[in-house]
Amino acid sequence: MRDAEFFRRWMAAAAAAVEREADRLTELDSPIGDADHGSNLLRGFTAVLAALEAEPSAAAPGAVLQLAGRTLISTVGGASGPLYGTLLRRTGKALGESAEVSDAELREALSEGVGAVAQLGGAAPGDKTMLDALVPGVAALGTSYRAAGSAAENGALATVPMQARKGRASYLGERSIGYQDPGATSSALLLGALADVAESAGAR
Amino acid sequence: MRMLINSPQTVVADALRGMAAAHPELDVDVERRVVVRRDARSGGRVGVVSGGGSGHEPLHAGFVGYGMLSAACPGEVFTSPVPDQMVRAAAAVDSGQGVLFVVKNYTGDVLNFEMAAELAEEDGLRIERVLVDDDVAVTDSLFTAGRRGTGATLFVEKIAGAAAEEGAPLERVAALARRVDACSRSFGVALSACTTPAKGSPTFDLPDGELELGIGIHGEPGRERRPMMSAREIAEVAVGAVLEELAQIGPADGPVLALVNGMGATPLLELYGFHAEVARVLAERGVPVARALVGNYVTSLDMAGCSVTLCRADEELLRLWDAPVRTAALRWGL
């Protein structure tokens, strides 16, 4: 079972991964976007850590993720603010108010979160968006957390030959082909952070 | 990178502090990033609120004032503002008549304004939204996020603001704004990439002697790269592309509002020279220019280049265009 502390550690690991990779995310965002994905997410996750610290009363997994999601919506801007915010908020909502959740419940909740992202952005796998990492990543959660991280990573790599159909990159048409999608890349970081935290917690 | 800034992290706040110092008639909340016309609530008018990434100055904060925007929300550079800013702005300008959100069609702006509209409506405000999507360079919109919102934003904000100033109700202000968007088309050209403060180097590589056709306003490359052309040739391409689409929505020889807009690093000497070519092409095609505006209004940081926006204007739109306006960046008739 996973308690609030596990989810706090996940958010901290995600923030650390974003900080480590911020320049790379921004670099990926440069040819097909506007070169700020890394700095925007860094601003958001830094605020998430501060918000979680300021609110030790967020003592349930669902409350932790909902607070993180709300904070991202209030600080990131762009498309990634509402999309990542919705992912975490909806996942947190689906987890409900239990003090501990099972891995199966987390899997189920994340699927709901990813569904909400797809609905909000009107995108589907293959559109060269974060869904190309999230959908295979969450599907592989049934195997293991590590498998989910790897599937998301592979999903992000698979966006390279795709032509963007959503977001700002879509305006480039065929010229968006050949670049890895920054949103899919940061989504893989998020699931990679989850895998790291789950492994260090001693589960597969 | 040589920029007149303190740091990339403070660039937006610093600009807002400067705006506050230069324009005491504006209420600038630097920390929360909302720029409000001081008398926004005194007239019992519909509020007109816009916003978007910073880096497009004078859009939008430069258009806050009498006869145009009630408030603007500047986001980070090229990043849409967050819903909190928009909700705050709407609350600050609502006098019970409702608020129109003017939203450029970029995914981030659309999503954040959508969330803001929901939150403001939960607070009991009446909100209408108009989506500006005038950029003809984006074709087959079924396979993209749809046409971008660019130069026509200025037309929409000016005309909606004039209608609100006259006391028109929310539904009518929104309908006029949508009509302006439906009648407007734009085409942009980049002669250089731009440099965002956060990245510090050009957003894309454009070799000497080449240009990008069909750009937006975020330093992104366009649809096509070509060898450098003369102002005359660029005007042929840009005006031709705009007129081709305008022909599908109105009389081919109706009068137009014309905006020749600089992207930030092209001097007025060049913009006026370019406008001469735009005016020539329009005259050759039998399109009368009812009003023209030349200058840097919807910019993309230090990108060199320009865009052309044409709006098919009937008598009513022209009357509202001519109505008095007094903002930091646009003022006439007062």
Side-chain angles (χ1 to χ4, degrees), chain B residues 11-316:
Chain B
V11 67
V12 175
D14 291 343
L16 288 176
R17 284 194 295 117
M19 213 175 176
H23 298 284
E25 70 277 15
L26 297 176
D27 188 358
V28 181
D29 186 334
V30 176
E31 197 187 331
R32 298 192 175 91
R33 303 205 175 171
V34 182
V35 178
V36 182
R37 182 183 158 181
R38 277 201 194 278
D39 60 349
R41 290 166 89 168
S42 64
R45 292 175 296 262
V46 165
V48 182
V49 171
S50 193
S54 293
H56 306 305
E57 290 71 24
L59 187 78
H60 295 274
F63 299 145
V64 175
Y66 182 92
M68 212 160 166
L69 293 180
S70 316
C73 316
E76 286 292 322
V77 172
F78 289 170
T79 301
S80 87
V82 299
D84 307 27
Q85 288 169 272
M86 299 151 184
V87 172
R88 208 176 290 275
V93 306
D94 181 53
S95 57
Q97 308 302 309
V99 175
L100 175 70
F101 283 163
V102 179
V103 187
K104 299 187 298 305
N105 190 30
Y106 278 98
T107 308
D109 294 276
V110 172
L111 295 184
N112 284 285
F113 270 107
E114 201 171 299
M115 293 193 159
E118 273 176 36
L119 292 170
E121 278 162 355
E122 279 173 22
D123 291 345
L125 271 68
R126 277 195 306 141
I127 303 287
E128 287 269 356
R129 282 181 303 156
V130 55
L131 198 63
V132 184
D133 60 345
D134 53 312
D135 175 20
V136 305
V138 179
T139 50
D140 56 25
S141 59
L142 282 178
F143 301 102
T144 67
R147 281 197 308 255
R148 292 174 286 218
T150 59
T153 315
L154 182 147
F155 291 160
V156 171
E157 291 178 0
K158 170 69 184 78
I159 287 169
E165 198 68 62
E166 285 185 352
L170 179 60
E171 293 66 31
R172 184 163 155 64
V173 175
L176 273 164
R178 292 188 186 110
R179 184 141 68 90
V180 173
D181 175 62
C183 297
S184 301
R185 292 291 185 272
S186 295
F187 190 90
V189 180
L191 309 183
S192 79
C194 66
T195 298
T196 61
K199 182 158 185 276
S201 56
T203 49
F204 61 92
D205 179 44
L206 186 57
D208 236 15
E210 298 191 30
L211 54 72
E212 286 276 342
L213 290 179
I215 54 151
I217 51 172
H218 293 94
E220 66 269 62
R223 293 285 293 191
E224 193 187 340
R225 182 168 293 187
R226 287 212 205 155
M228 192 57 207
M229 303 189 281
S230 66
R232 175 164 299 174
E233 292 164 328
I234 294 172
E236 298 275 358
V237 172
V239 175
V242 171
L243 283 182
E244 195 177 311
E245 286 227 2
L246 275 185
Q248 297 165 18
I249 52 183
D253 53 356
V256 293
L257 277 168
L259 168 65
V260 163
N261 173 62
M263 303 308 296
T266 292
L268 280 174
L269 179 76
E270 294 173 37
L271 291 180
Y272 273 111
F274 181 67
H275 180 67
E277 299 301 335
V278 169
R280 181 185 56 81
V281 176
L282 287 170
E284 282 172 10
R285 311 257 184 130
V287 179
V289 178
R291 305 287 185 277
L293 187 63
V294 178
N296 294 291
Y297 294 104
V298 184
T299 61
S300 192
L301 288 176
D302 62 344
M303 180 179 262
C306 64
S307 60
V308 179
T309 305
L310 301 178
C311 172
R312 286 236 176 271
D314 55 23
E315 299 251 320
E316 182 177 37

Side-chain angles (χ1 to χ4, degrees), chain A residues 113-171:
Chain A
V114 172
V117 169
Q119 198 183 10
L120 180 64
D127 286 347
K128 200 178 180 105
T129 71
M130 54 199 280
L131 289 176
D132 289 307
L134 289 176
V135 170
V138 170
L141 268 178
T143 310
S144 71
Y145 283 101
R146 184 48 64 197
S150 305
E153 184 73 43
N154 290 334
L157 287 172
T159 61
V160 173
M162 292 177 186
Q163 174 170 340
R165 286 195 288 258
K166 291 288 165 187
R168 218 174 272 171
S170 69
Y171 299 126

